[in-house]
Amino acid sequence: MSDGLYQLAEEHEELRAAIRALAEKEIAPHAEDVDESERYPVEALEALNKAGFAAVHIPEEYGGQGADAIATDIVIEEVARVCASSSLIPAVNKLGTMNIILGGSEELKHKVLGEVAEGATASYALSEREAGSDPASMRTKAIRDGDNWVLNGTKCWITNAGESSWYTVMAVSDPDASNPAAGISAFAVHAEDPGFVVGPKERKLGIKGSPTREIYFENCTIPGDRVIGEPGQGLKLAFTTLDHTRHSIGAQALGIAQGALDATIDYVKERQQFGKAISEFQGVQFMIADMAMKIEAARHLVYAAAAKVERGDADKSFASSAAKTFASDVAMEVTTDAVQLFGGAGYTRDFPVERMMRDAKITQIYEGTNQIQRMVMARQLLK
């Protein structure tokens, strides 16, 4: 009966070995400069595209690898272990295309997914300044004009904006809908569409290599067949998409935490105080043990959530929110402890743990704050 033992498939472990080798060779050497210079990680994009790791989730029929959700999370996790900014390439490619995978026409799937499988990147445009945790109150409008749609409005906090070619955009297409949520539609917008404008970069605490910008729609005109699914399905698609991607933020947080733990273990074994390595002190050992224990718990929660969402289990929304929340809280705690264990050195930019601590913070905030996640979980439990 050994086939039923609880473990990842052999191909998942082989994938981990391959992506870890690539990340350490092609991405890690540039991570410090990417953060310091606040520049897009072009080396990571090139390496991930060349190896086929930039968008492994895209189904084979559209030119992708058709990787399952756990495999996709492993890619994100292993890239985040060395560079959180770079891990947003595969993570946001999934976020930016999931609406289309779930609800797009075959023509739209072949066009957008095909281009992303070949190396283009995608972003996701849901949030607005006054519609973050409350997306139903968004103001961006989409109006039919003959065979086209015309978009007007502003979206904010758009990850990799200005670098991506494709944007999944939510807009109000029926302002008279009795339920505001039912009046929102999803659209595929290309960076070269007339009236699409990219704003300046936000000045951020962490993930500085991944540009975050506002995007503006100034009578942005797109073909009528770029609506994703049926008009009015936008928010429903958005929430389903987030089930598929929230655990991926958990995977990113998991990778950041693992990178911080690995760096800390190396450091405490080398750092000498009172005539011996600080790893020999029980206080340090307890901290290291707690860090590793929490990371291991987060890892299993993330992978279990990925499997539940892929299967369509009844508790998939709870699982995905739980994975994101727990893993991101663990990442913040572990990276903070890592800085503490490095002592004064941890507070300098000479070591990677201060960057990891700054990068970890956003995982508690984006794709729904952890407070919102707790509301999602509670509603699932109480309904």
Side-chain angles (χ1 to χ4, degrees), residues 34 39-41 85 88 159-160 201 204 206-212:
V34 161
R39 66 172 182 83
Y40 189 65
S85 292
L88 283 164
T159 306
N160 290 346
K201 279 203 305 187
K204 298 180 302 185
I207 56 164
K208 294 183 178 183
S210 172
T212 303

Side-chain angles (χ1 to χ4, degrees), residues 15-25 78 81 258 262:
L15 171 66
R16 185 190 302 282
I19 186 65
R20 180 170 290 197
L22 178 139
E24 290 184 346
K25 182 181 178 184
E78 289 297 330
R81 180 176 162 269
Q258 187 66 58
D262 292 347

Side-chain angles (χ1 to χ4, degrees), residues 151-271:
L151 277 64
N152 279 285
T154 301
K155 293 292 180 179
C156 67
W157 311 123
I158 310 306
T159 306
N160 290 346
E163 297 293 339
S164 290
S165 299
W166 286 101
Y167 297 78
T168 291
V169 180
M170 301 293 156
V172 177
S173 58
D174 181 6
D176 299 322
S178 56
N179 176 4
I184 294 169
S185 299
F187 302 89
V189 178
H190 194 274
E192 294 180 359
D193 288 332
F196 177 85
V197 180
V198 176
K201 279 203 305 187
E202 302 287 353
R203 299 164 63 223
K204 298 180 302 185
L205 173 74
I207 56 164
K208 294 183 178 183
S210 172
T212 303
R213 294 181 167 98
E214 285 189 334
I215 55 177
Y216 313 117
F217 304 95
E218 300 171 355
N219 290 322
C220 179
T221 304
I222 64 172
D225 61 4
R226 296 256 210 90
V227 64
I228 303 169
E230 295 297 321
Q233 285 188 342
L235 220 48
K236 182 180 178 183
L237 280 171
F239 291 148
T240 307
T241 285
L242 292 172
D243 283 345
H244 284 269
T245 57
R246 277 179 172 148
H247 60 76
S248 298
I249 299 303
Q252 182 191 39
L254 177 58
I256 295 169
Q258 187 66 58
L261 176 63
D262 292 347
T264 303
I265 288 172
D266 288 343
Y267 184 80
V268 298
K269 291 189 330 193
E270 293 177 5
R271 171 74 169 154

Side-chain angles (χ1 to χ4, degrees), residues 95-358:
L95 178 63
T97 57
M98 204 68 217
N99 267 54
I100 296 170
I101 291 172
L102 293 169
S105 66
E106 281 302 309
E107 183 181 4
L108 196 58
K109 286 178 182 177
H110 280 284
K111 183 173 183 61
V112 178
L113 302 180
E115 288 187 20
V116 173
E118 290 176 2
T121 54
S123 289
Y124 192 68
L126 175 64
S127 294
E128 299 180 8
R129 293 287 176 188
E130 302 302 321
S133 296
D134 177 22
S137 65
M138 70 177 62
R139 295 176 181 173
T140 298
K141 298 282 196 296
I143 299 172
R144 272 199 182 275
D145 181 21
D147 292 335
N148 298 326
W149 287 93
V150 179
L151 277 64
N152 279 285
T154 301
K155 293 292 180 179
C156 67
W157 311 123
I158 310 306
T159 306
N160 290 346
E163 297 293 339
S164 290
S165 299
W166 286 101
Y167 297 78
T168 291
V169 180
M170 301 293 156
V172 177
S173 58
D174 181 6
D176 299 322
S178 56
N179 176 4
I184 294 169
S185 299
F187 302 89
V189 178
H190 194 274
E192 294 180 359
D193 288 332
F196 177 85
V197 180
V198 176
K201 279 203 305 187
E202 302 287 353
R203 299 164 63 223
K204 298 180 302 185
L205 173 74
I207 56 164
K208 294 183 178 183
S210 172
T212 303
R213 294 181 167 98
E214 285 189 334
I215 55 177
Y216 313 117
F217 304 95
E218 300 171 355
N219 290 322
C220 179
T221 304
I222 64 172
D225 61 4
R226 296 256 210 90
V227 64
I228 303 169
E230 295 297 321
Q233 285 188 342
L235 220 48
K236 182 180 178 183
L237 280 171
F239 291 148
T240 307
T241 285
L242 292 172
D243 283 345
H244 284 269
T245 57
R246 277 179 172 148
H247 60 76
S248 298
I249 299 303
Q252 182 191 39
L254 177 58
I256 295 169
Q258 187 66 58
L261 176 63
D262 292 347
T264 303
I265 288 172
D266 288 343
Y267 184 80
V268 298
K269 291 189 330 193
E270 293 177 5
R271 171 74 169 154
Q272 297 276 325
Q273 289 289 282
F274 304 103
K276 56 184 176 181
I278 63 171
S279 61
E280 294 185 35
F281 294 104
Q282 190 180 63
V284 171
Q285 291 175 356
F286 281 8
M287 288 179 73
I288 291 284
D290 281 342
M291 291 159 77
M293 175 177 64
K294 288 167 185 172
I295 289 170
E296 187 67 7
R299 178 169 289 114
H300 290 284
L301 194 56
V302 167
Y303 296 168
K308 284 173 182 283
V309 173
E310 186 127 318
R311 287 194 303 262
D313 288 3
D315 63 341
K316 62 184 183 297
S317 293
F318 171 87
S320 198
S321 288
K324 188 265 189 195
T325 304
F326 186 80
S328 60
D329 285 350
V330 164
M332 199 67 240
E333 190 175 340
V334 165
T335 55
T336 302
D337 282 349
V339 169
Q340 187 72 19
L341 285 167
F342 269 74
Y347 203 68
T348 70
R349 297 206 298 267
D350 297 329
F351 294 90
V353 289
E354 68 84 32
R355 180 186 83 234
M356 292 167 174
M357 180 178 169
R358 287 185 287 106

